[in-house]
Amino acid sequence: MLSIALTPHLFPLQKTGKFFHHRRRLRPEVYPFRADVVRSSSSLQETKKPPPVSSDERRELLTSWESIALPPVKAAKRVVLVRHGQSTWNAEGRIQGSSDFSVLTLKGESQAETSRQMLLDDSFDVCFSSPLIRSKRTAEIIWGSRTEEIITESNLREIDLYSFQGLLKNEGKAKYGAAYRQWQIDAPNFNIDGHYPVRELWERARSCWTKILTHESRSILVVAHNAVNQALVATAMGLGTEYFRILLQSNCGVSVLDFTPKPEGGTPDICLNRLNQTPSSPVAAGSSGGRKASMRIILVSHGTSQNDGEQGGIPLSRDSPMNMLGVIQAQKTAELLLDVKVGSIVSSNAIASVETATAISRVQEAADCLGADCVPRYVEMKQIPDLDVDSILKQTKDDSIRFQPLESGWLRGYEDEITRALWDKSGVAWKCLLDELSKASEPQNVVVAVAHPALLIAMMGHCLNLTKEWLGSFHLDAGSVSVVDFPDGPTGRGVIRCINYTAHLGRWSIPITRSTLDDEDF
């Protein structure tokens, strides 16, 4: 079995309890579906029609997804989202949408098998799957010998793209011109054949959560598609359609959401425990939302220190050197980053952060030194006081926060004045990273930032234009890696490639099956 392990976490924007809306209200008009024709490179095929829209479904679509609260949960639930493996149309660069003509390639089958190995020991109670062949096959591979039936859910199908479906991307650009450009740069307002596909998708994804969360199961696997999994993550957290293509979902990438009941009932607390843990390296060359990204910030949680707990560190990490586990985590992270050429490494002044940064620097500088006459390249290292947050976190008066292992949504436990100070300092730190990214003399630049997970969580919030109320909606483990791409440069919008990636840690990571709530039955 592969020695790959996962772990989960995320973020919200919904006015439930202490969270707030920060998005436009979108009320799409509803039109009946129609038949579309798909041109394949080899033949002319007729796309299967989506089912007719009934009057009840039409009324549901006319109700904004934002106005519907998530159903309450009686006990903690963990939902694991997986995108299908590479399909034949993925490989061809053909627009799939909700068409059902492509199947998994051999690579896609292999990716699904890797995900099966990742999740082999997971005690899932149920599996929901898209009805499309590529997702159903992925679900069957991952589900393996489990005896429970896979539940097929029509609303988990991929985004409906109507006349676009079946076209090669260059054909779409040539045939539809301005409409195709709008699909690329302004997808939420993209209209084709009288439909707003992204808005419809958000409605559909939101309806899926009612079925998923009201199911009696507590550990749930969902196997679907790129766009719909983005929409599932976003609608769970209350993020609007403007976040489409901001939360990447790679083939067989795994994302994890934790839902925790509130004492007063109502919409549960939601935490993104992990985003897009992929079968392959998250830092290898690739595109972000279909665009090439030459600038990147990699956020690294420092390794566990001698004063940290056994698993994943503690919320308040006293300034001390790394223990043996932390040393292993730092070395594994340094090896993972061999897939990129790092321009600079910045860290806080905390001992564990400096030690982690040093390990990364040494491996980077030796990476190209394969011969006797080779001269190691220089990687700039900086310590930035604005990345230090221990002095803020240690002001808490709650000893239960000081000494317990990291739990899902653990930053919610801090007092308001502490989270406010953390948020303000992280804003300054994030600006420092953007400034560092813009200093490069070359068009390509990768900046690695090593710090306490609380500071990294807050900086991701700034990247996504959230507020401090969202701090409890992300999770990071010690030694984890999170990647933000900037396809439009440091002044453009960041695209989240992954959050809390830990597969590189192998047996030294916290597996996805481990409860974050000290509940043996989870």
Side-chain angles (χ1 to χ4, degrees):
M1 188 181 81
L2 298 180
S3 60
I4 298 176
L6 307 179
T7 323
H9 245 187
L10 200 55
F11 39 79
L13 276 121
Q14 170 175 317
K15 191 172 182 180
T16 57
K18 55 187 177 184
F19 300 126
F20 301 87
H21 284 292
H22 283 269
R23 57 175 182 253
R24 296 187 298 273
R25 295 183 65 82
L26 303 173
R27 292 185 175 273
E29 292 186 58
V30 179
Y31 300 84
F33 289 107
R34 66 177 183 80
D36 300 302
V37 174
V38 173
R39 285 194 180 275
S40 168
S41 55
S42 58
S43 63
L44 188 68
Q45 299 172 312
E46 183 176 332
T47 303
K48 294 178 182 179
K49 296 180 183 179
V53 180
S54 68
S55 57
D56 288 341
E57 289 172 326
R58 204 172 270 117
R59 280 194 294 273
E60 183 178 349
L61 279 172
L62 288 170
T63 302
S64 171
W65 67 270
E66 311 174 87
S67 65
I68 309 171
L70 288 177
V73 296
K74 296 179 181 179
K77 288 180 181 282
R78 176 164 290 173
V79 179
V80 177
L81 306 176
V82 183
R83 181 189 174 187
H84 64 77
Q86 185 196 61
S87 70
T88 49
W89 280 20
N90 286 152
E92 292 178 29
R94 196 173 294 281
I95 301 171
Q96 294 187 106
S98 58
S99 64
D100 203 15
F101 297 111
S102 65
V103 297
L104 293 188
T105 62
L106 291 177
K107 179 178 179 179
E109 297 256 348
S110 176
Q111 290 169 331
E113 173 61 21
T114 300
S115 291
R116 186 186 75 83
Q117 295 283 354
M118 284 183 180
L119 304 171
L120 189 63
D121 297 324
D122 229 296
S123 54
F124 291 118
D125 301 316
V126 67
C127 175
F128 288 87
S129 172
S130 159
L132 303 184
I133 295 170
R134 55 195 186 271
S135 282
K136 285 177 68 177
R137 177 58 184 151
T138 303
E140 289 168 359
I141 293 172
I142 296 175
W143 203 237
S145 60
R146 294 179 176 93
T147 57
E148 295 83 359
E149 183 180 0
I150 297 174
I151 299 174
T152 300
E153 171 53 50
S154 174
N155 281 335
L156 287 173
R157 71 185 185 275
E158 183 58 300
I159 185 172
D160 297 313
L161 289 175
Y162 308 98
S163 293
F164 269 20
Q165 294 180 176
L167 297 173
L168 292 169
K169 292 174 183 178
N170 61 340
E171 292 174 345
K173 184 177 181 180
K175 185 173 182 179
Y176 288 94
Y180 186 82
R181 177 166 173 76
Q182 186 177 40
W183 165 239
Q184 292 296 306
I185 66 173
D186 186 24
N189 295 310
F190 163 66
N191 181 298
I192 187 169
D193 302 333
H195 294 267
Y196 290 90
V198 176
R199 301 181 190 181
E200 292 178 353
L201 177 67
W202 250 242
E203 296 277 359
R204 191 153 43 81
R206 182 60 191 77
S207 72
C208 288
W209 281 119
T210 299
K211 294 184 178 180
I212 293 169
L213 293 179
T214 55
H215 196 278
E216 66 273 14
S217 300
R218 298 186 61 192
S219 183
I220 301 168
L221 175 66
V222 177
V223 182
H225 306 265
N226 178 13
V228 72
N229 281 7
Q230 290 184 52
L232 286 168
V233 169
T235 54
M237 309 313 299
L239 295 164
T241 53
E242 63 271 24
Y243 285 85
F244 183 60
R245 294 202 185 103
I246 297 300
L247 309 168
L248 293 193
Q249 299 287 308
S250 303
N251 285 123
C252 277
V254 175
S255 300
V256 184
L257 287 155
D258 285 338
F259 298 83
T260 309
K262 292 179 179 176
E264 68 275 16
T267 295
D269 283 327
I270 304 155
C271 190
L272 181 60
N273 194 287
R274 184 174 310 281
L275 179 75
N276 201 29
Q277 178 135 314
T278 57
S280 57
S281 168
V283 298
S287 61
S288 287
R291 295 178 294 163
K292 294 295 182 182
S294 59
M295 292 194 169
R296 174 177 290 177
I297 292 176
I298 299 176
L299 305 175
V300 177
S301 296
H302 64 64
T304 57
S305 70
Q306 293 175 6
N307 288 322
D308 288 346
E310 291 184 1
Q311 294 284 354
I314 56 175
L316 174 56
S317 181
R318 292 177 291 271
D319 194 11
S320 61
M322 289 190 293
N323 58 19
M324 184 55 70
L325 174 59
V327 171
I328 293 172
Q329 291 168 336
Q331 185 63 30
K332 290 288 185 180
T333 298
E335 293 170 6
L336 175 72
L337 298 185
L338 276 173
D339 284 336
V340 294
K341 184 177 180 180
V342 174
S344 61
I345 304 171
V346 299
S347 76
S348 71
N349 292 318
I351 297 173
S353 291
V354 174
E355 290 179 336
T356 301
T358 301
I360 296 170
S361 174
R362 287 174 177 166
V363 172
Q364 281 286 316
E365 290 179 349
D368 298 328
C369 199
L370 301 178
D373 298 328
C374 178
V375 178
R377 68 183 182 86
Y378 173 69
V379 179
E380 184 179 18
M381 281 186 59
K382 297 180 181 179
Q383 293 176 31
I384 301 177
D386 287 316
L387 268 63
D388 290 325
V389 294
D390 279 358
S391 60
I392 294 174
L393 298 180
K394 71 181 182 182
Q395 296 175 30
T396 181
K397 300 177 177 63
D398 189 344
D399 286 340
S400 67
I401 293 177
R402 287 176 180 267
F403 301 109
Q404 59 184 268
L406 291 177
E407 294 182 351
S408 185
W410 56 275
L411 276 174
R412 290 193 187 100
Y414 282 99
E415 299 90 334
D416 185 66
E417 59 270 22
I418 292 177
T419 56
R420 186 182 300 112
L422 171 63
W423 184 255
D424 291 343
K425 191 161 191 177
S426 64
V428 177
W430 182 245
K431 186 178 183 303
C432 288
L433 294 190
L434 294 178
D435 290 343
E436 190 69 25
L437 196 65
S438 64
K439 289 178 182 177
S441 57
E442 300 178 5
Q444 295 186 342
N445 190 22
V446 176
V447 175
V448 172
V450 185
H452 190 286
L455 189 279
L456 302 182
I457 285 172
M459 287 198 295
M460 281 192 294
H462 285 285
C463 175
L464 290 167
N465 295 317
L466 307 182
T467 64
K468 70 179 182 65
E469 285 73 26
W470 315 68
L471 290 175
S473 301
F474 297 82
H475 179 82
L476 293 176
D477 291 306
S480 67
V481 171
S482 302
V483 181
V484 184
D485 285 344
F486 292 86
D488 298 316
T491 59
R493 195 173 187 190
V495 176
I496 310 297
R497 177 171 288 276
C498 65
I499 295 174
N500 199 31
Y501 183 91
T502 59
H504 63 294
L505 302 178
R507 61 180 294 187
W508 292 281
S509 70
I510 301 174
I512 202 172
T513 49
R514 179 179 181 273
S515 170
T516 59
L517 299 168
D518 290 330
D519 185 339
E520 293 297 324
D521 295 327
F522 191 76

